[in-house]
């Protein structure tokens, strides 16, 4: 019986690794990891807080639709109106409104300084340049002008919009609107016009809600539009904003 010849292994000479090939491999790895991280952040969405602060730039363009996602099924047929309120204060944010704090109050009939008002967890709050947010570590951080805060009342589809005469304490006993979304602008148009950043954020948010909930421009009102006693500054803002919505 003839035996097969033993297998002979021949060691080939190792070729040097191309630096160009290494660079391409590393670049492909970085791109893959970056795209994976971006997808995970998009899928997760914003975290839940009593009022989620969101940067101004994030509200531009189609990104606003991601920012107004809900944590429960959207009750689109429930919401018929959007009422835009003003805080009547020089400063504040969603947290101070929910706590009933008045920071530098300047509405007629109210004393300046820190006072109390009816607590409201608005669906959305548009901050001004005076908003200072307290971080979990205790440090204070100034938020950008026109920063959008999304309240838990929107995330969980709850009715929290107060009577249109808010924050007048004489109307605190009036029931909440069941079919109204409440947006609050920090400030008082009778003392100082709202900033361009605030109005831009408000317009982007309102249009997105109109599209999603099929709410016509005629059902978007400022709180003073229902009183019949709007000041010239308030009336001017209402007219200008309505024109902006129907463009």
């Amino acid at each position: 019986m003839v035996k097969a010849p033993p297998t002979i292994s021949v060691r080939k000479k190792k070729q040097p690794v191309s630096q160009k090939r290494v660079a391409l491999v590393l670049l492909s790895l970085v791109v893959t990891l970056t795209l994976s991280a971006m997808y995970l952040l998009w899928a997760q969405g914003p975290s839940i807080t009593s009022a989620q602060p969101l940067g101004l730039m994030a509200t531009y363009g189609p990104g606003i639709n991601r920012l107004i996602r809900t944590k429960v099924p959207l009750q689109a047929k429930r919401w018929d109106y959007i009422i835009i309120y003003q805080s009547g204060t020089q400063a504040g944010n969603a947290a101070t409104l929910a706590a009933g704090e008045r920071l530098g109050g300047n509405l007629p009939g109210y004393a300046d300084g820190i006072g109390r008002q009816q607590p409201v967890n608005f669906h959305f709050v548009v901050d001004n340049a005076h908003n200072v947010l307290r971080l979990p570590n205790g440090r204070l951080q100034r938020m950008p002008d026109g920063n959008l805060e999304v309240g838990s009342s929107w995330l969980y589809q709850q009715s929290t919009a107060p009577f249109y005469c808010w924050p007048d304490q004489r109307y605190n006993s009036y029931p909440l609107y069941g079919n109204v979304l409440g947006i609050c602008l920090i400030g008082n148009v009778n003392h100082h016009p709202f900033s361009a950043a605030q109005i831009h954020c408000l317009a982007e948010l309102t249009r997105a809600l109109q599209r999603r909930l099929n709410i016509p421009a005629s059902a978007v009102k400022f709180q003073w539009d229902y009183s019949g006693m709007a000041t010239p500054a308030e009336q001017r803002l209402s007219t200008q904003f309505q024109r902006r919505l129907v463009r």
Side-chain angles (χ1 to χ4, degrees), residues 41 44-56 58-59 64 66-71 93-96 98 121-127 131 133-136 141 143-144 146-156 201 205:
L41 289 174
Q44 181 181 5
S47 58
I48 301 176
T49 62
S50 59
Q52 175 66 40
L54 303 165
L56 170 65
T59 68
I64 187 68
R66 181 175 67 85
L67 300 181
I68 62 174
R69 290 174 180 171
T70 57
K71 297 297 181 180
N93 52 39
T96 60
N121 181 12
F122 282 101
H123 295 98
F124 302 94
V125 175
V126 181
D127 301 323
N131 179 27
L133 186 68
R134 184 174 295 277
L135 302 177
Q141 176 179 337
M143 302 303 292
N147 181 67
L148 173 65
E149 295 186 85
V150 181
S152 59
S153 55
W154 167 253
L155 296 177
Y156 294 99
C201 178
L205 171 63

Side-chain angles (χ1 to χ4, degrees), residues 60-122:
Y60 292 176
I64 187 68
N65 292 313
R66 181 175 67 85
L67 300 181
I68 62 174
R69 290 174 180 171
T70 57
K71 297 297 181 180
V72 298
L74 178 67
Q75 301 176 22
K77 295 183 178 180
R78 173 180 180 177
W79 310 110
D80 300 318
Y81 300 91
I82 296 174
I83 295 183
I84 304 167
Y85 303 78
Q86 64 175 354
S87 68
T89 59
Q90 299 172 354
N93 52 39
T96 60
L97 294 173
E101 298 178 8
R102 291 184 56 78
L103 304 179
N106 48 27
L107 278 177
Y110 292 86
D112 288 340
I114 298 178
R116 303 296 299 179
Q117 65 186 17
Q118 180 187 11
V120 179
N121 181 12
F122 282 101

Side-chain angles (χ1 to χ4, degrees), residues 15-46:
Q15 298 294 327
V17 179
S18 171
Q19 295 297 324
K20 183 178 181 180
R21 183 177 180 183
V22 172
L24 289 174
V25 171
L26 291 176
L27 179 62
S28 299
L29 180 61
V30 170
V31 171
T32 301
L33 292 175
T34 302
L35 292 176
S36 299
M38 291 176 62
Y39 173 78
L40 290 175
L41 289 174
W42 174 86
Q44 181 181 5

Side-chain angles (χ1 to χ4, degrees), residues 190 222-236 238:
N190 296 303
F222 285 86
Q223 63 181 119
W224 50 76
D225 293 328
Y226 294 98
S227 68
M229 297 182 295
T231 66
E234 293 169 346
Q235 185 59 57
R236 185 163 51 251
S238 294

